[in-house]
Amino acid sequence: MKIAAFSGALMEYSIQEAMKITANLGFDGIEIACREPHLSPQTSLARVKEIRRLADEHVLDIPALGGYMGRFSESSDSECAAAYDEFLGLLERADYLETDMIRIFPGGPNAFLAADYHYEKAAHWLKKCAAEARRHEKKILLEIHNVSLIETVESSLRLLEMIGEDNVGLIHDAGNMYISDTDFGRASVTGLGSRLLHVHVKDEKRIPEAGGPGTFRNVTRHGEEHFLQCRLGEGEVDHRELFEALAETVYGGWVTLECFAPYPPLEQLAHDRDAVLQLLRETASAAASATMQAPAPAPASPTASTAPTTTAPASPTAATTAPKSTSPSSSSVSAPGGN
């Protein structure tokens, strides 16, 4: 797994400064939030090329563009067409940035409030986006997000089935799934299977009343609830089971830190980076130990592997000149594995 910083946590800096900070903190890449002053579907191509040059200079990959367009399910036809045009603009810029994945929001309301037509409208426009993305050899990311059509594994897979395109996948976000009060551990990873293309991590906790820095309100299946954005390990989103499942399934994609806790951006990013690196070390070690302790397969039954005997006597010449049969040996090595 490689770790990226989300540039949205560094919005008080220019994209040039955000990339320098990300590199200095030792990240492998930067997921760019597609809002100015960092990037937008209208950003000039000259500036886009400069961003790519800076990424090379800082040895940073750009695994994904965090788009904010879409929201098709609750928009008018003209608004959907405008959002689609914005996506096309971002798709062109993704080519210059050498970025393979673009996030789009399907829209709301909450999955438990949505009607069939919400899913049908979102699927119609996302299918159009997917067809265009395929021409550019890109993938579309849909983030599992509170107050959206895809708050759970089940609602996410429902929408993917309706879109019917294999270049559309999901961002697993345990923080968002905690807000929606749905499983975000091992079962969520295995449930998403190959449709899991990207991972976001952040921490939050429920609080009695919002109002201070880093707090917000959300409508959930429990009604209106209040939350505080936290640094990893200081809230109520325990990512350990998620990272264990990622290690067990040999997830080879990216993990992006979406840090929005009310701390100085460099401090919160460094804290969450250290927390994720520790989780990666511990879960990789646990997965290796489990593999070593797994019982060896039972040997085959001798009777089953014994060839039937013949009653006819063998020719002495044949017995001494026939080559011995050998069974080839084989070995297998498994490689280690929105805001």
Side-chain angles (χ1 to χ4, degrees):
M1 278 177 268
K2 291 184 177 181
I3 305 176
F6 185 53
S7 82
L10 297 165
M11 274 298 180
E12 63 188 71
Y13 300 94
S14 68
I15 186 60
Q16 291 87 347
E17 293 172 312
M19 294 176 84
K20 182 178 180 180
I21 289 167
T22 299
N24 288 343
L25 287 172
F27 286 92
D28 302 303
I30 183 167
E31 180 177 335
I32 300 179
C34 296
R35 285 176 172 164
E36 294 296 353
H38 289 183
L39 183 70
S40 76
Q42 293 77 38
T43 299
S44 72
L45 295 183
R47 187 160 154 249
V48 170
K49 292 174 184 177
E50 174 66 7
I51 292 172
R52 181 63 255 177
R53 187 192 68 76
L54 286 170
D56 292 336
E57 181 181 306
H58 292 299
V59 197
L60 287 174
D61 287 332
I62 306 174
L65 300 181
Y68 291 91
M69 77 290 293
R71 308 182 189 277
F72 300 115
S73 55
E74 294 182 290
S75 299
S76 67
D77 288 347
S78 61
E79 289 170 333
C80 288
Y84 176 71
D85 287 341
E86 283 199 338
F87 168 70
L88 295 182
L90 203 55
L91 190 59
E92 180 184 10
R93 283 146 185 80
D95 281 335
Y96 286 98
L97 293 171
E98 300 174 22
T99 302
D100 294 331
M101 301 187 292
I102 302 172
R103 180 183 68 179
I104 305 178
F105 282 122
N110 302 72
F112 61 88
L113 296 173
D116 289 345
Y117 74 83
H118 289 115
Y119 285 93
E120 290 163 2
K121 186 161 191 177
H124 169 77
W125 284 96
L126 287 167
K127 191 177 184 71
K128 285 173 63 72
C129 292
E132 194 62 28
R134 189 181 301 282
R135 291 183 58 249
H136 291 253
E137 299 182 339
K138 307 295 183 192
K139 294 180 180 179
I140 290 173
L141 295 174
L142 305 179
E143 183 172 356
I144 300 179
H145 207 292
N146 43 302
V147 195
S148 84
L149 298 181
I150 54 171
E151 293 184 308
T152 65
V153 168
E154 294 75 20
S155 57
S156 301
L157 294 177
R158 176 190 180 188
L159 182 58
L160 289 187
E161 184 176 354
M162 294 175 73
I163 297 167
E165 300 290 342
D166 61 7
N167 64 330
V168 183
L170 296 162
I171 302 175
H172 185 293
D173 190 310
N176 293 339
M177 297 165 84
Y178 162 81
I179 293 170
S180 300
D181 194 18
T182 187
D183 175 74
F184 53 82
R186 181 174 282 99
S188 67
V189 173
T190 56
L192 294 176
S194 62
R195 307 313 293 270
L196 170 56
L197 299 183
H198 197 55
V199 174
H200 282 174
V201 296
K202 57 179 175 278
D203 204 351
E204 281 138 352
K205 66 179 177 182
R206 283 172 164 80
I207 56 173
E209 186 68 35
T215 65
F216 62 97
R217 299 174 177 85
N218 244 183
V219 173
T220 75
R221 60 192 180 90
H222 304 296
E224 184 178 86
E225 294 191 276
H226 304 255
F227 301 90
L228 171 66
Q229 296 169 317
C230 304
R231 299 187 300 185
L232 285 178
E234 297 178 355
E236 296 174 346
V237 187
D238 187 352
H239 286 79
R240 179 168 299 278
E241 189 176 318
L242 165 66
F243 276 88
E244 288 173 350
L246 293 175
E248 291 165 8
T249 56
V250 200
Y251 171 74
W254 284 82
V255 173
T256 292
L257 308 192
E258 264 196 323
C259 310
F260 295 103
Y263 291 89
L266 274 68
E267 179 184 330
Q268 67 180 16
L269 269 173
H271 176 279
D272 283 14
R273 173 206 61 197
D274 292 345
V276 165
L277 289 174
Q278 181 65 22
L279 275 170
L280 287 173
R281 283 192 294 267
E282 292 175 359
T283 52
S285 174
S289 297
T291 302
M292 291 176 64
Q293 293 171 13
S301 164
T303 324
S305 62
T306 302
T309 57
T310 59
T311 55
S315 157
T317 309
T320 56
T321 59
K324 295 180 181 178
S325 72
T326 58
S327 29
S329 60
S330 63
S331 62
S332 62
V333 179
S334 23
N339 290 335

Coordinates of all heavy atoms in Angstrom, one line a residue, residues 14-67:
S14 N -1.1 27.2 -1.4 CA -1.2 27.0 -2.8 C -0.9 25.5 -3.1 O -0.3 24.8 -2.3 CB -0.2 27.9 -3.5 OG 1.1 27.5 -3.2
I15 N -1.2 25.1 -4.3 CA -1.0 23.7 -4.7 C 0.5 23.5 -4.7 O 1.0 22.4 -4.3 CB -1.6 23.3 -6.0 CG1 -1.5 21.8 -6.3 CG2 -1.1 24.2 -7.1 CD1 -2.1 20.9 -5.3
Q16 N 1.3 24.5 -5.1 CA 2.8 24.3 -5.1 C 3.3 24.1 -3.6 O 4.1 23.2 -3.4 CB 3.4 25.6 -5.6 CG 3.2 25.7 -7.1 CD 1.9 26.5 -7.5 OE1 1.1 26.7 -6.6 NE2 1.8 26.9 -8.7
E17 N 2.8 24.9 -2.7 CA 3.2 24.7 -1.3 C 2.7 23.4 -0.7 O 3.4 22.7 0.0 CB 2.6 25.9 -0.4 CG 3.3 27.2 -0.8 CD 2.6 28.4 -0.1 OE1 1.3 28.4 -0.1 OE2 3.3 29.2 0.5
A18 N 1.4 23.0 -1.1 CA 0.8 21.8 -0.6 C 1.7 20.6 -1.1 O 1.9 19.6 -0.3 CB -0.6 21.6 -1.1
M19 N 2.1 20.6 -2.3 CA 2.9 19.5 -2.8 C 4.3 19.4 -2.1 O 4.8 18.3 -1.8 CB 3.1 19.6 -4.3 CG 1.8 19.5 -5.1 SD 2.0 19.7 -6.8 CE 2.5 18.1 -7.3
K20 N 4.9 20.6 -1.8 CA 6.2 20.6 -1.1 C 6.0 20.0 0.3 O 6.8 19.2 0.8 CB 6.7 22.0 -1.1 CG 8.1 22.1 -0.4 CD 8.6 23.6 -0.4 CE 10.0 23.7 0.2 NZ 10.5 25.1 0.2
I21 N 4.9 20.4 1.0 CA 4.7 20.0 2.3 C 4.5 18.5 2.3 O 5.0 17.7 3.2 CB 3.4 20.7 2.9 CG1 3.7 22.1 3.2 CG2 2.9 20.0 4.2 CD1 2.5 23.0 3.5
T22 N 3.7 18.0 1.4 CA 3.4 16.5 1.3 C 4.7 15.7 1.1 O 4.9 14.7 1.7 CB 2.4 16.3 0.1 OG1 1.2 17.0 0.3 CG2 2.1 14.8 -0.1
A23 N 5.5 16.2 0.2 CA 6.8 15.5 0.0 C 7.7 15.6 1.2 O 8.3 14.6 1.6 CB 7.5 16.2 -1.2
N24 N 7.7 16.7 1.9 CA 8.6 16.8 3.1 C 8.1 15.9 4.2 O 8.9 15.5 5.0 CB 8.6 18.3 3.5 CG 9.5 19.2 2.6 OD1 10.2 18.7 1.8 ND2 9.3 20.5 2.7
L25 N 6.8 15.7 4.2 CA 6.3 14.8 5.3 C 6.5 13.3 4.9 O 6.1 12.4 5.7 CB 4.8 15.1 5.5 CG 4.5 16.4 6.3 CD1 3.0 16.7 6.2 CD2 5.0 16.3 7.7
G26 N 7.0 13.0 3.7 CA 7.3 11.6 3.4 C 6.2 10.8 2.8 O 6.3 9.6 2.7
F27 N 5.2 11.5 2.2 CA 4.1 10.8 1.6 C 4.5 10.3 0.2 O 5.4 10.9 -0.4 CB 2.9 11.7 1.4 CG 2.1 11.9 2.7 CD1 2.4 13.0 3.5 CD2 1.1 11.0 3.1 CE1 1.7 13.2 4.7 CE2 0.5 11.2 4.3 CZ 0.7 12.3 5.1
D28 N 3.9 9.3 -0.3 CA 4.2 8.7 -1.6 C 3.5 9.5 -2.7 O 3.9 9.5 -3.9 CB 3.7 7.3 -1.7 CG 4.4 6.4 -0.7 OD1 5.6 6.4 -0.7 OD2 3.7 5.7 0.1
G29 N 2.4 10.2 -2.3 CA 1.6 10.9 -3.4 C 0.7 11.9 -2.8 O 0.6 12.0 -1.5
I30 N 0.0 12.6 -3.6 CA -1.0 13.6 -3.2 C -2.2 13.5 -4.0 O -2.2 13.4 -5.3 CB -0.4 15.1 -3.3 CG1 -1.4 16.1 -2.8 CG2 0.0 15.4 -4.8 CD1 -0.8 17.5 -2.6
E31 N -3.4 13.3 -3.4 CA -4.7 13.3 -4.0 C -5.2 14.7 -4.0 O -5.3 15.3 -3.0 CB -5.7 12.4 -3.3 CG -7.0 12.3 -3.9 CD -8.0 11.3 -3.2 OE1 -7.5 10.4 -2.5 OE2 -9.2 11.5 -3.3
I32 N -5.4 15.2 -5.2 CA -5.7 16.7 -5.3 C -7.2 16.9 -5.2 O -8.0 16.4 -6.0 CB -5.1 17.2 -6.7 CG1 -3.6 17.0 -6.7 CG2 -5.5 18.7 -6.8 CD1 -3.0 17.5 -8.0
A33 N -7.5 17.8 -4.3 CA -8.9 18.3 -4.2 C -9.2 19.2 -5.3 O -8.5 20.2 -5.5 CB -9.1 18.9 -2.8
C34 N -10.2 19.0 -6.1 CA -10.5 19.7 -7.3 C -11.3 21.0 -7.0 O -12.5 21.1 -7.5 CB -11.1 18.9 -8.3 SG -10.0 17.6 -8.9
R35 N -10.7 21.8 -6.2 CA -11.3 23.1 -5.8 C -10.1 24.1 -5.9 O -9.0 23.8 -5.5 CB -11.9 23.2 -4.5 CG -13.2 22.5 -4.4 CD -13.8 22.5 -3.0 NE -15.1 22.0 -2.9 CZ -15.7 21.6 -1.8 NH1 -15.1 21.6 -0.6 NH2 -17.0 21.2 -1.8
E36 N -10.4 25.3 -6.3 CA -9.3 26.3 -6.3 C -9.0 26.7 -4.8 O -9.9 26.6 -4.0 CB -9.7 27.6 -7.1 CG -9.9 27.3 -8.6 CD -8.5 26.9 -9.3 OE1 -7.5 27.0 -8.6 OE2 -8.6 26.6 -10.4
P37 N -7.8 27.0 -4.5 CA -6.7 27.3 -5.4 C -5.8 26.1 -5.8 O -4.7 26.3 -6.3 CB -5.8 28.2 -4.5 CG -6.0 27.6 -3.1 CD -7.4 27.2 -3.0
H38 N -6.3 24.9 -5.7 CA -5.5 23.7 -6.1 C -5.7 23.3 -7.6 O -4.8 23.2 -8.3 CB -5.7 22.6 -5.1 CG -5.1 22.8 -3.8 ND1 -5.1 21.9 -2.8 CD2 -4.5 23.9 -3.3 CE1 -4.5 22.4 -1.7 NE2 -4.1 23.6 -2.0
L39 N -7.0 23.0 -7.9 CA -7.3 22.5 -9.3 C -8.8 22.6 -9.5 O -9.5 22.6 -8.5 CB -6.8 21.1 -9.4 CG -7.0 20.4 -10.8 CD1 -6.0 21.0 -11.8 CD2 -6.8 18.9 -10.7
S40 N -9.2 22.8 -10.7 CA -10.6 22.8 -11.1 C -10.7 22.4 -12.5 O -9.7 22.4 -13.3 CB -11.2 24.2 -10.8 OG -10.8 25.1 -11.9
P41 N -11.9 22.1 -13.0 CA -12.1 21.8 -14.4 C -11.8 22.9 -15.3 O -11.6 22.7 -16.6 CB -13.6 21.4 -14.5 CG -13.9 21.0 -13.2 CD -13.2 21.8 -12.2
Q42 N -11.6 24.1 -14.8 CA -11.3 25.3 -15.6 C -9.8 25.7 -15.5 O -9.4 26.7 -16.2 CB -12.2 26.5 -15.1 CG -13.6 26.3 -15.4 CD -14.4 25.4 -14.5 OE1 -14.0 25.4 -13.3 NE2 -15.3 24.6 -14.9
T43 N -9.0 25.0 -14.7 CA -7.6 25.4 -14.5 C -6.9 25.4 -15.9 O -7.1 24.4 -16.6 CB -6.9 24.4 -13.6 OG1 -7.6 24.5 -12.3 CG2 -5.5 24.8 -13.4
S44 N -6.1 26.4 -16.2 CA -5.5 26.4 -17.5 C -4.6 25.2 -17.7 O -4.0 24.7 -16.7 CB -4.7 27.7 -17.6 OG -3.5 27.7 -16.8
L45 N -4.4 24.8 -18.9 CA -3.6 23.6 -19.2 C -2.1 23.9 -18.9 O -1.4 23.0 -18.5 CB -3.8 23.1 -20.6 CG -5.2 22.6 -21.0 CD1 -5.2 22.1 -22.4 CD2 -5.6 21.5 -20.0
A46 N -1.7 25.2 -19.0 CA -0.3 25.5 -18.7 C -0.1 25.3 -17.2 O 1.0 24.8 -16.8 CB -0.1 27.0 -19.1
R47 N -1.0 25.7 -16.4 CA -0.9 25.5 -14.9 C -0.9 24.0 -14.6 O -0.2 23.5 -13.7 CB -1.9 26.3 -14.2 CG -1.8 26.2 -12.7 CD -2.5 27.4 -12.0 NE -2.8 27.0 -10.6 CZ -4.0 26.7 -10.2 NH1 -5.0 26.8 -11.0 NH2 -4.2 26.4 -8.9
V48 N -1.8 23.2 -15.3 CA -1.9 21.8 -15.1 C -0.5 21.1 -15.4 O -0.1 20.3 -14.6 CB -3.0 21.2 -15.9 CG1 -2.9 19.7 -15.9 CG2 -4.4 21.7 -15.5
K49 N 0.1 21.5 -16.5 CA 1.4 21.0 -16.8 C 2.5 21.3 -15.7 O 3.3 20.5 -15.4 CB 1.8 21.5 -18.2 CG 1.0 21.0 -19.3 CD 1.4 21.6 -20.6 CE 0.5 21.2 -21.8 NZ 0.8 21.8 -23.1
E50 N 2.3 22.5 -15.2 CA 3.3 22.9 -14.1 C 3.1 22.1 -12.9 O 4.0 21.7 -12.2 CB 3.0 24.4 -13.8 CG 3.8 24.9 -12.6 CD 5.4 24.9 -12.8 OE1 5.8 24.7 -13.9 OE2 6.1 25.2 -11.8
I51 N 1.8 21.7 -12.6 CA 1.5 20.8 -11.4 C 2.2 19.5 -11.6 O 2.8 18.9 -10.7 CB 0.0 20.7 -11.2 CG1 -0.6 22.0 -10.7 CG2 -0.3 19.6 -10.2 CD1 -2.1 22.0 -10.7
R52 N 2.1 19.0 -12.9 CA 2.7 17.7 -13.2 C 4.2 17.8 -13.0 O 4.9 16.8 -12.5 CB 2.3 17.3 -14.6 CG 2.9 15.9 -15.1 CD 2.4 14.8 -14.3 NE 3.4 14.2 -13.4 CZ 3.2 13.2 -12.5 NH1 2.0 12.7 -12.4 NH2 4.1 12.8 -11.7
R53 N 4.8 18.9 -13.5 CA 6.2 19.0 -13.4 C 6.7 19.1 -11.9 O 7.7 18.5 -11.5 CB 6.7 20.3 -14.1 CG 8.2 20.5 -14.2 CD 8.6 21.9 -14.6 NE 8.3 22.9 -13.6 CZ 9.0 23.1 -12.5 NH1 10.0 22.3 -12.2 NH2 8.6 24.0 -11.6
L54 N 5.9 19.8 -11.1 CA 6.2 19.8 -9.7 C 6.1 18.5 -9.0 O 6.9 18.1 -8.1 CB 5.3 20.8 -9.0 CG 5.6 22.3 -9.2 CD1 4.4 23.2 -8.7 CD2 6.9 22.7 -8.6
A55 N 5.1 17.7 -9.4 CA 4.9 16.3 -8.9 C 6.2 15.5 -9.2 O 6.7 14.8 -8.3 CB 3.7 15.7 -9.4
D56 N 6.7 15.6 -10.4 CA 7.9 14.9 -10.7 C 9.1 15.4 -9.9 O 9.9 14.6 -9.4 CB 8.2 15.1 -12.2 CG 7.2 14.4 -13.1 OD1 6.5 13.4 -12.6 OD2 7.0 14.8 -14.3
E57 N 9.2 16.7 -9.7 CA 10.3 17.3 -9.0 C 10.3 16.8 -7.5 O 11.3 16.5 -7.0 CB 10.1 18.8 -9.0 CG 11.2 19.6 -8.3 CD 11.0 21.1 -8.4 OE1 10.9 21.6 -9.5 OE2 11.0 21.7 -7.3
H58 N 9.1 16.6 -7.0 CA 9.0 16.2 -5.6 C 8.8 14.7 -5.4 O 8.6 14.2 -4.3 CB 7.8 16.9 -4.9 CG 7.9 18.4 -4.7 ND1 8.9 18.9 -3.9 CD2 7.2 19.4 -5.2 CE1 8.8 20.2 -3.9 NE2 7.8 20.5 -4.7
V59 N 8.9 14.0 -6.5 CA 8.7 12.5 -6.6 C 7.4 12.1 -5.9 O 7.4 11.3 -5.0 CB 9.9 11.8 -5.9 CG1 10.0 10.3 -6.3 CG2 11.3 12.5 -6.3
L60 N 6.3 12.7 -6.4 CA 5.0 12.4 -5.9 C 4.1 11.9 -7.0 O 4.1 12.5 -8.1 CB 4.3 13.7 -5.3 CG 4.9 14.3 -4.0 CD1 4.2 15.6 -3.7 CD2 4.6 13.3 -2.8
D61 N 3.4 10.8 -6.7 CA 2.4 10.3 -7.6 C 1.1 11.1 -7.3 O 0.9 11.7 -6.2 CB 2.1 8.9 -7.4 CG 3.2 8.0 -7.9 OD1 3.8 8.4 -8.9 OD2 3.4 6.9 -7.4
I62 N 0.2 11.2 -8.3 CA -1.1 11.8 -8.1 C -2.1 10.6 -8.4 O -2.6 10.4 -9.5 CB -1.3 13.0 -9.1 CG1 -0.2 14.0 -8.9 CG2 -2.7 13.6 -8.8 CD1 -0.3 15.1 -9.9
P63 N -2.5 9.9 -7.4 CA -3.3 8.7 -7.6 C -4.7 8.9 -8.0 O -5.3 8.1 -8.7 CB -3.2 7.9 -6.2 CG -2.9 9.0 -5.2 CD -2.1 10.0 -5.9
A64 N -5.2 10.1 -7.6 CA -6.7 10.4 -7.9 C -6.9 11.9 -7.8 O -6.2 12.6 -7.1 CB -7.6 9.7 -6.8
L65 N -7.9 12.3 -8.5 CA -8.4 13.7 -8.4 C -9.7 13.6 -7.7 O -10.7 12.9 -8.1 CB -8.6 14.3 -9.8 CG -7.4 14.3 -10.7 CD1 -7.7 15.0 -12.1 CD2 -6.2 15.1 -10.0
G66 N -9.8 14.4 -6.6 CA -11.0 14.4 -5.8 C -12.0 15.4 -6.3 O -12.1 16.6 -5.9
G67 N -12.8 15.0 -7.4 CA -13.7 15.9 -8.0 C -14.9 16.1 -7.1 O -15.3 15.3 -6.2

